[in-house]
Amino acid sequence: QVQLVESGGGLVQPGGSLRLSCAASGSIFSINGMGWYRQAPGKQRELVAGISGGGRTNYLDSVKGRFTISRDNAKNTVYLQMKSLKPEDTAVYYCNAEVVVISRAILNSWGQGTQVTVSS
């Protein structure tokens, strides 16, 4: 009923920037919280940044001041602007959204993931 499609990952040098996008589509009535998670090889998936329906944000300590999450409710899209990237930011990044569908059921939806590699 709901699809999340991510884009914007890739290979970047340390100190560089990337912008991730995640667009939701399907039988959407509204979207509550949205967020970005990441998972590096051999590590658990962790929340990088989240944004509530009202625009309140929260960040993983290690990305504060470098990453910015935002959303465009008209486009059902969430963004993650990443600056001053470090090799330790290398991971698969996943979009997550709590979607209220037309039937008013609430679905916790995930994107397929996009690889971010920070390396010289």
Side-chain angles (χ1 to χ4, degrees):
Q1 285 184 305
V2 175
Q3 299 81 38
L4 300 182
V5 178
E6 299 133 338
S7 60
L11 172 65
V12 64
Q13 291 186 340
S17 300
L18 281 175
R19 187 192 194 209
L20 306 183
S21 300
C22 172
S25 62
S27 304
I28 298 171
F29 175 74
S30 64
I31 302 178
N32 297 330
M34 305 182 82
W36 288 94
Y37 289 72
R38 68 186 182 188
Q39 187 166 20
K43 295 188 177 181
Q44 289 188 330
R45 190 173 297 190
E46 61 182 356
L47 175 64
V48 177
I51 185 167
S52 70
R56 187 164 48 196
T57 60
N58 61 284
Y59 296 93
L60 182 68
D61 283 347
S62 62
V63 307
K64 286 180 180 178
R66 300 189 297 122
F67 290 10
T68 303
I69 189 171
S70 60
R71 62 190 287 172
D72 184 333
N73 292 328
K75 296 181 179 179
N76 290 331
T77 299
V78 63
Y79 305 96
L80 185 68
Q81 178 68 53
M82 304 184 292
K83 298 180 180 180
S84 302
L85 283 160
K86 304 176 181 180
E88 51 264 43
D89 295 318
T90 296
V92 178
Y93 284 69
Y94 297 91
C95 173
N96 174 264
E98 186 177 84
V99 180
V100 182
V101 295
I102 300 298
S103 66
R104 302 304 191 267
I106 299 175
L107 303 181
N108 186 34
S109 302
W110 291 90
Q112 80 284 358
T114 185
Q115 177 70 46
V116 172
T117 302
V118 185
S119 175
S120 55

